[in-house]
Amino acid sequence: TLFRSQVGCGGPAEINPPFGPAYTRTAQRIMDLQGLRRRVHMYIEQQQYHSALFWADKVASLSHEDPEDVYWLAHCLYLTAQYHRAAHAIRSRKLDKKDEQCRYLAARCHYSAKEYQQALDILDMEEPIIVHLFEKHFKHYVGPKDSTEWQMSESSVQSSICLLRGKIYDALDNRTLATDNYKRALEIDVYCFEAFDLLTAHHMLTAQEEKDLLERLPLNQKCP
């Protein structure tokens, strides 16, 4: 707990020394932020994206632009189709160079805005990435018990990046590289149906190539 309290018979809680008013105000602000973070996620789940965006903006301001709060602000901007604002929120703070999820979201924003080359440039940048930048903060939004359920694993992020890169090459009429990336996305995450559907629905593979791909997938390891 943030502070310990004793409750007298029918009386208000008292803060044990040496905690004073300044500490109490700080603790209250932290608790308020955690509640607002969960509210952001609640509105996203309810598909009330403008409500989520309103509170995500407040949280980012109150937390002095904590990186994860900025990510969720950008996520809400993306959900409300404000793609350039979302990309700017991430890239102006260089979060796309620090975390794979931020890089993926920034690239997806440009892809959704049909700025395919910009999206590809973001995915192909060579700066090293700190993959788990947000791992210790993720419980703010969903609670410590549920954080592993909602957090994207490294393999999931990598598969999503390959899938997005494939879509970008598809939009640029480079079917060879698009096919390679769809196959890579499926190899990383065998549950990625979208990659398989794009490969088969667009007839990117011959019957033999499709058979070879299915035989190469680690289905026994990933699908117990």
Side-chain angles (χ1 to χ4, degrees):
T1 58
L2 294 170
F3 53 83
R4 299 167 58 194
S5 62
Q6 293 178 334
V7 181
C9 298
E14 297 178 354
I15 305 302
N16 284 338
F19 305 131
Y23 182 88
T24 304
R25 287 193 296 271
T26 300
Q28 185 63 49
R29 183 179 67 83
I30 292 173
M31 288 189 292
D32 290 345
L33 271 176
Q34 290 173 340
L36 290 176
R37 284 165 174 150
R38 287 190 289 270
R39 189 167 296 277
V40 170
H41 195 79
M42 178 192 75
Y43 281 126
I44 290 175
E45 286 185 318
Q46 294 175 357
Q47 299 181 13
Q48 297 185 38
Y49 300 138
H50 289 282
S51 294
L53 174 58
F54 176 85
W55 291 111
D57 181 59
K58 301 305 178 189
V59 169
S61 177
L62 290 170
S63 70
H64 304 291
E65 298 190 349
D66 178 281
E68 188 183 1
D69 294 327
V70 173
Y71 168 82
W72 282 103
L73 172 60
H75 185 72
C76 291
L77 286 165
Y78 175 85
L79 291 173
T80 54
Q82 301 183 62
Y83 305 127
H84 290 102
R85 289 188 63 197
H88 179 75
I90 292 174
R91 302 191 70 190
S92 64
R93 296 163 178 85
K94 301 186 185 303
L95 294 180
D96 56 315
K97 299 179 180 179
K98 298 177 182 178
D99 182 83
E100 289 282 15
Q101 285 181 244
C102 288
R103 177 174 291 188
Y104 170 71
L105 179 56
R108 189 170 178 84
C109 289
H110 285 287
Y111 170 79
S112 297
K114 302 185 185 304
E115 297 170 349
Y116 303 124
Q117 190 58 53
Q118 291 93 320
L120 195 60
D121 290 344
I122 292 173
L123 293 180
D124 290 343
M125 66 175 63
E126 297 180 355
E127 286 82 351
I129 285 289
I130 305 171
V131 176
H132 299 297
L133 179 65
F134 298 154
E135 185 173 11
K136 64 180 179 180
H137 300 297
F138 205 86
K139 61 181 180 295
H140 288 163
Y141 281 85
V142 295
K145 293 183 179 179
D146 302 321
S147 60
T148 55
E149 178 181 349
W150 288 98
Q151 186 177 359
M152 291 179 69
S153 66
E154 181 177 350
S155 61
S156 178
V157 175
Q158 291 300 324
S159 177
S160 297
I161 287 175
C162 289
L163 177 65
L164 177 58
R165 187 182 283 111
K167 289 181 176 180
I168 293 170
Y169 281 123
D170 223 345
L172 295 173
D173 293 323
N174 191 329
R175 288 175 61 88
T176 300
L177 289 179
T179 300
D180 290 343
N181 278 278
Y182 291 149
K183 290 163 64 176
R184 180 59 181 154
L186 195 57
E187 289 168 356
I188 296 172
D189 179 8
V190 297
Y191 291 97
C192 186
F193 171 77
E194 187 174 0
F196 181 77
D197 185 54
L198 287 168
L199 283 168
T200 55
H202 293 181
H203 306 290
M204 290 182 164
L205 301 176
T206 65
Q208 185 60 46
E209 287 173 335
E210 184 176 329
K211 180 181 178 181
D212 292 342
L213 175 62
L214 291 174
E215 290 178 349
R216 192 167 63 249
L217 294 178
L219 297 174
N220 292 332
Q221 300 175 21
K222 300 294 181 65
C223 302

